Amino acid sequence: MKKEKIFRSSIYATALVGLAAFLIFSILAAVTFGNADLSLKDVYSVILYKIFHIKSMASYSEGAIHDVVWLIRLPRVLLALAVGMALSVCGVVMQAIVQNPLADPYVLGISSGASFGATLAIMLGIGGFLGGNSVGLCAFIGAMVTSFAVIAIANMGGKATSAKLILAGMAISAVCSAFSNFVIYITNDKNGATEVMKWNMGSLAGANWSRVSVMLPVTLVCVVLFWTQYRNLNLMLLGDEVSITLGTDLHRFRTAYLILSSVMVGFAVYCAGVIGFVGLVIPHVVRILFGTDHSRLIPLSALLGSSFLIWCDVACRVILKNSEMPIGVLVSIIGAPCFIYLLVRKSYGFGGKKG
């Protein structure tokens, strides 16, 4: 038993180091891809100068190459890292909160709420005083309002349970989708409807350093906080009755974790639009390979989700010449078949149990 535990720990440590190394490689490699034909020397010279201010590379302090690498490509890669990490970890947490392997950051209506907020901004001009970020900020507000509405409804008539959270999320999601479609129908604005559709497809094209400076710290702080809560997340898989027997009432933790997850998803939607399946597939893959212990599941999902979204964004930039595929479309094309495969695996069930 002791040897088996040591063996599993060594596998986990190897996987953690390997995924961290792969993430660093992904960042360095992804920044070299794009429509502009730049040499590796030019790309890395810009980055080295901006970080270390090497005098011999001062020629890269400005100009077209500098702008492409430092103002467009690198922020985009780092934003993909942050969004992928946020969605993956939120998927892990959501699946524990509702005890449902089909849960992801959008199962509780957060996606529909964000989409409704974006629809109001695009079609009715609500939030115009917020300037160029009005759509993203309205989407963030929509995601947060939806989350609080789900929590409030789930707590009616008693404490929120996993089943009540799912049902409340489904109800709120249906309401938001209905109102979004209603607004699109009555405004009869084809250009606006097209923009709403693009928003719902997701994109990292709007990446810049200001968004990275918000999204990345928020994601890292939340991931670390969730990592410290792995014992409670493990308890959630056992159910409320078992946890109460063990002396822990998970109600307040479930509410706090849901709010924290909603903050992460809200910022992700604000920065990149709606991107599905990341929070659904990545936790499943990690859970199959390394089990259900959240002390391992959270960091591995964070690293794998980051690398996954970075390479999905690279593919979106290079698949279509002189054009860009919406990242939400590509992730769904990849994620849906993977998820179907995971579902039909006879040796897989939620919690890593065979079924």
Side-chain angles (χ1 to χ4, degrees), residues 213-294:
S213 64
V214 172
M215 185 70 207
L216 192 55
V218 167
T219 299
L220 293 175
V221 170
C222 290
V223 169
V224 171
L225 285 174
F226 280 131
W227 197 4
T228 63
Q229 300 297 305
Y230 70 90
R231 289 187 179 87
N232 289 330
L233 291 170
N234 287 341
L235 271 178
M236 286 181 180
L237 296 181
L238 301 176
D240 290 304
E241 294 180 359
V242 175
S243 65
I244 291 174
T245 303
L246 295 173
T248 303
D249 185 357
L250 295 175
H251 169 68
R252 60 191 180 91
F253 291 109
R254 183 178 284 113
T255 301
Y257 296 164
L258 182 57
I259 293 173
L260 198 58
S261 298
S262 300
V263 170
M264 293 175 71
V265 176
F267 275 109
V269 170
Y270 159 65
C271 293
V274 178
I275 303 175
F277 278 105
V278 178
L280 192 62
V281 174
I282 297 299
H284 276 275
V285 173
V286 178
R287 192 179 288 113
I288 289 173
L289 296 175
F290 299 99
T292 60
D293 185 357
H294 285 84

Side-chain angles (χ1 to χ4, degrees), residues 93-170:
V93 175
M94 290 286 185
Q95 288 167 14
I97 287 175
V98 301
Q99 297 173 260
N100 191 327
L102 300 179
D104 75 343
Y106 304 110
V107 73
L108 299 183
I110 299 174
S111 172
S112 296
S115 179
F116 182 45
T119 300
L120 291 176
I122 293 170
M123 305 300 293
L124 302 180
I126 293 176
F129 63 93
L130 297 172
N133 292 323
S134 61
V135 177
L137 290 172
C138 285
F140 174 79
I141 294 170
M144 293 304 300
V145 170
T146 300
S147 302
F148 286 114
V150 169
I151 293 172
I153 293 173
N155 278 286
M156 289 181 179
K159 292 182 178 180
T161 62
S162 57
K164 289 173 70 177
L165 284 169
I166 292 176
L167 293 174
M170 292 175 63

Side-chain angles (χ1 to χ4, degrees), residues 27 73-84 207 209 212 215-216 310:
I27 295 171
R73 289 188 185 179
L74 189 58
R76 183 164 180 158
V77 171
L78 294 179
L79 187 62
L81 180 155
V83 172
W209 283 112
V212 172
M215 185 70 207
L216 192 55
I310 286 174

